[in-house]
Amino acid sequence: MGSLKNWMLSFLAGPYPGIALFCFAFAESSFFPIPPDIMLIPLVLARPEHWLLYAVITTVASVLGGMAGYLIGSYGGRPVLLKFFASPKVDLVQHYYDKYNAWATAIAGLTPLPYKIFTIGAGTFKVNFHVFVLASIGSRGLRFFAVAGLTRLFGHQVMPIIKDYFNVATIIFILLLVGGFWAVGYLAKRIQRSKS
């Protein structure tokens, strides 16, 4: 895995690091094992004035890669998932999709969970494609803009911040998101009952 990371980072010294970032972010959403943050952070550190551009590149590529993962799942189904992931992980993803539908994609897009299992799973378990894309745009955009923005603000000091607090912030955000939707659903049911 370390040599794979070094191979990825070697593209930063090339003439088109933005294209390399796009390719790796695309691949990570459907089959590649290393998240694009590994390239995004050094690029923003090297050219902080372009942090917004790099966040856009990573988000767009990740969403397009997620759409490719969705198609892989649609045509390959559960056997494709089982070739790449252990059966308990596949069962867990199916459980999340059965319970939360495309919100499972949004949650996975923000966290360190392997995003590709959720993109392929979305196609396998027939999640609504448009909702899947919207959930991917929201979650991946939030994640990569946060990482690029923090890197722009704090420079080289960002690594411990992302390492120590990013996952905690993600969990808090997810709890607030789920809690908000639960509250809206609860209020809608109460209003419906009061009308009947």
Side-chain angles (χ1 to χ4, degrees):
M1 196 64 79
S3 59
L4 195 57
K5 283 182 185 176
N6 292 336
W7 176 69
M8 271 180 77
L9 293 172
S10 70
F11 286 91
L12 295 177
Y16 305 108
I19 293 173
L21 175 65
F22 182 95
C23 293
F24 284 115
F26 180 93
E28 186 270 336
S29 293
S30 48
F31 63 89
F32 195 70
I34 299 176
D37 313 59
I38 298 294
M39 289 187 79
L40 176 61
I41 292 169
L43 277 174
V44 175
L45 287 173
R47 312 237 357 227
E49 69 277 12
H50 294 312
W51 76 273
L52 203 58
L53 173 64
Y54 292 138
V56 169
I57 288 171
T58 314
T59 301
V60 169
S62 185
V63 171
L64 291 174
M67 291 162 75
Y70 184 99
L71 291 174
I72 291 168
S74 292
Y75 291 105
R78 193 179 177 92
V80 170
L81 275 175
L82 291 171
K83 279 184 183 177
F84 296 103
F85 307 102
S87 183
K89 280 189 177 178
V90 174
D91 293 340
L92 182 65
V93 170
Q94 182 167 10
H95 165 74
Y96 282 134
Y97 273 124
D98 288 344
K99 193 168 183 181
Y100 301 112
N101 203 346
W103 291 113
T105 304
I107 291 168
L110 286 166
T111 66
L113 293 168
Y115 187 56
K116 63 198 72 53
I117 190 172
F118 284 86
T119 64
I120 297 170
T124 301
F125 306 125
K126 309 300 180 197
V127 171
N128 181 288
F129 181 73
H130 296 100
V131 176
F132 164 79
V133 171
L134 288 174
S136 295
I137 291 168
S139 63
R140 295 313 258 180
L142 184 61
R143 174 178 172 151
F144 295 130
F145 275 82
V147 168
L150 286 170
T151 305
R152 170 70 179 91
L153 283 173
F154 297 104
H156 288 278
Q157 298 167 323
V158 78
M159 290 307 292
I161 293 169
I162 289 174
K163 186 180 174 187
D164 295 339
Y165 301 111
F166 192 75
N167 290 344
V168 174
T170 297
I171 290 165
I172 291 169
F173 176 79
I174 289 166
L175 289 173
L176 289 172
L177 184 71
V178 171
F181 279 101
W182 177 85
V184 168
Y186 177 76
L187 289 172
K189 283 179 186 174
R190 286 197 66 174
I191 291 167
Q192 223 170 18
R193 280 185 204 141
S194 65
K195 285 182 178 176
S196 56

